[in-house]
Amino acid sequence: MKPKTVKTVTTLAVLGLIATVASAQQQQGVSKDEIRIGTIQDLSGPLAGFGKQARNGMQLRVDELNEQGNLNGRKLKLFVEDSGYDPKKAVLAAQKLVNQEKIFIMAGHIGTAQNMAAMPVQFDKNIVNFMPITAAREMYEPLNRLKYSFAATYYDQIRLALPKMIKDKGAKKVCTIYQDDEFGLEVQRGAEAGLKTAGMELAEKTSFKRGATDFSSQVAKMKAANCDLVVLGTIIRETIGTVGESRKTGFNPTFIGSSAAYTDLIHKLGGKAMDGVYATMTVQNPYTDEQSQPLRFWANKYKTKFNEDPTVFSVYGYVIIDSFIKAATKAGPNLTTDSFIKSMDSMTFEPDMFGSPKSNYTATKRLGNEQSRLSQIKDGKWVVVSDYVTP
């Protein structure tokens, strides 16, 4: 072999080795035997109840997969960070997960403002924001190849439910109380759109800062306006605080919240005063004593593992990881961000034991499901009171 030929072959071999190493390094979070999933939850702030439940639901599905087999030869590893429901902390949490833990995907991050703050950190490293636990439109708009959302938006939930509620209750004056951030404003905008459909305008609107605990002035304002229907842009303690304060002062309108208020914590912590409250929802709360056999089995498995009853947020966490497993399995053994996106863009998820509607994704449709339905608290339990409403 001539020296020049040897040099060429050597050069090509080196280039090939570099390309192989670069290819191996290129896909963060996927090794020969592991896939790294990151999630940011509120474990210490006002939504800690939700965050811990979502984390547990995610961990349950991860453990199931790892105990029963693998995903194209790989186990899953879940990395959890706490945001305390603070957007600034969410950025720090995202930086840690992306840059230190080297996650492949961010799944089920809770909170609208928190996701908005963290997404740039992820997108800079080509990391998908997968099915965040918030129903804000910003989770899939504007269209971005790294965004996938699973829940009917707060905007659409209220926009579609409100006109029918107004008609059913014969409501004459509608008010809103909402958290003064991206979440609350989405509920507020949905209420305004729903009222427009019904040919009405808001009689009163009032807001509160994230983390507020006293709602007496807001309730007094709505009571003075003689509101007979109140849209709640509230989550846990704000829902309980608003409804509880209203009952105390003899103000008893119809209350309707979004899926953010659809949790067993409302009736468990708020007690009898919460009876009658409505909320929009997309999956049923998994009560252990009145469900189908598969769901009862699942609920008891969850309770055995975590020593507490599962909730709707436990279901969200479980379903998000289950959806990831299905899409990543379809993507095949060469799992990359690109192959995962290609897989997701032709995915259909069928209705499940939790009562979720069918959902599907394409390259231009990144919200899997637009449907929601109503539940009402009756005798201390959420009871489904309507069918799914399609936009």
Side-chain angles (χ1 to χ4, degrees):
M1 192 180 278
K2 294 176 182 175
K4 190 174 181 184
T5 309
V6 171
K7 188 178 179 185
T8 304
V9 170
T10 306
T11 303
L12 287 171
V14 170
L15 287 173
L17 182 63
I18 290 169
T20 303
V21 172
S23 174
Q25 289 176 339
Q26 189 179 8
Q27 188 47 66
Q28 173 170 309
V30 179
S31 66
K32 187 170 72 71
D33 52 13
E34 184 180 82
I35 301 168
R36 296 181 156 226
I37 300 171
T39 189
I40 301 172
Q41 299 297 335
D42 178 4
L43 304 177
S44 60
L47 297 193
F50 288 175
K52 289 170 184 173
Q53 294 159 357
R55 175 201 62 195
N56 289 350
M58 296 175 89
Q59 193 65 57
L60 178 61
R61 188 66 188 98
V62 165
D63 290 348
E64 279 181 356
L65 178 98
N66 291 342
E67 288 160 10
Q68 294 164 10
N70 55 64
L71 200 167
N72 293 324
R74 300 181 177 103
K75 301 291 188 183
L76 300 182
K77 187 166 183 182
L78 182 66
F79 294 84
V80 185
E81 287 295 318
D82 177 22
S83 72
Y85 201 54
D86 179 338
K88 293 188 185 72
K89 288 183 182 174
V91 171
L92 296 175
Q95 287 170 340
K96 182 179 177 186
L97 290 169
V98 169
N99 299 321
Q100 291 179 40
E101 306 297 0
K102 304 288 187 186
I103 60 167
F104 169 66
I105 199 164
M106 183 76 79
H109 180 182
I110 200 166
T112 303
Q114 294 70 24
N115 270 274
M116 297 289 287
M119 279 192 282
V121 175
Q122 299 162 220
F123 295 170
D124 186 52
K125 293 290 177 74
N126 199 35
I127 291 173
V128 169
N129 199 51
F130 189 69
M131 299 189 179
I133 302 178
T134 159
R137 285 177 289 176
E138 290 90 346
M139 298 307 107
Y140 64 94
E141 291 179 347
L143 184 66
N144 185 310
R145 68 190 292 273
L146 299 172
K147 287 182 180 180
Y148 291 97
S149 189
F150 77 101
T153 64
Y154 300 126
Y155 176 85
D156 277 340
Q157 288 174 32
I158 300 300
R159 177 179 69 85
L160 295 168
L162 192 53
K164 186 176 186 307
M165 182 68 77
I166 289 168
K167 185 180 176 186
D168 290 351
K169 299 294 182 182
K172 300 288 187 287
K173 290 191 173 184
V174 179
C175 290
T176 58
I177 175 170
Y178 62 96
Q179 188 163 284
D180 186 13
D181 65 2
E182 289 90 341
F183 154 67
L185 287 167
E186 275 294 271
V187 175
Q188 168 68 15
R189 292 174 191 129
E192 288 171 342
L195 282 166
K196 194 172 180 182
T197 302
M200 295 172 69
E201 290 184 356
L202 275 175
E204 186 62 82
K205 65 177 181 178
T206 182
S207 65
F208 57 89
K209 296 293 181 191
R210 191 187 302 130
T213 55
D214 180 6
F215 306 95
S216 53
S217 63
Q218 290 91 339
V219 168
K221 202 173 174 185
M222 294 188 292
K223 185 179 182 182
N226 293 318
C227 300
D228 50 13
L229 195 157
V230 171
V231 177
L232 300 165
T234 55
I235 308 181
I236 309 173
R237 66 185 180 199
E238 309 86 21
T239 303
I240 295 167
T242 299
V243 175
E245 176 69 19
S246 299
R247 304 283 196 227
K248 272 196 296 187
T249 61
F251 176 51
N252 287 302
T254 299
F255 289 102
I256 176 171
S258 71
S259 58
Y262 179 68
T263 163
D264 66 333
L265 293 175
I266 301 299
H267 55 74
K268 280 182 176 173
L269 300 176
K272 190 69 180 167
M274 300 303 114
D275 271 7
V277 171
Y278 290 89
T280 49
M281 41 75 84
T282 54
V283 298
Q284 288 172 236
N285 192 88
Y287 294 114
T288 53
D289 60 351
E290 58 175 9
Q291 299 292 344
S292 65
Q293 193 276 330
L295 189 46
R296 194 161 57 243
F297 177 82
W298 180 88
N300 286 317
K301 184 176 184 178
Y302 180 100
K303 187 167 185 175
T304 300
K305 187 176 182 69
F306 300 110
N307 199 30
E308 62 181 36
D309 286 342
T311 69
V312 69
F313 281 79
S314 315
V315 173
Y316 292 152
Y318 185 89
V319 169
I320 287 163
I321 295 297
D322 188 62
S323 299
F324 170 76
I325 290 168
K326 286 171 179 166
T329 300
K330 184 182 170 191
N334 184 27
L335 181 62
T336 64
T337 297
D338 288 347
S339 70
F340 183 79
I341 288 170
K342 187 179 178 185
S343 170
M344 271 300 295
D345 286 352
S346 60
M347 283 298 291
T348 295
F349 298 99
E350 296 297 333
D352 57 30
M353 63 179 166
F354 303 107
S356 308
K358 186 175 181 175
S359 63
N360 67 287
Y361 296 84
T362 70
T364 55
K365 179 181 179 289
R366 294 308 185 81
L367 173 64
N369 161 53
E370 297 175 321
Q371 298 178 300
S372 60
R373 54 181 172 170
L374 276 177
S375 260
Q376 185 183 25
I377 298 176
K378 296 181 178 181
D379 297 323
K381 268 189 179 176
W382 286 106
V383 178
V384 178
V385 294
S386 83
D387 293 328
Y388 281 106
V389 180
T390 306

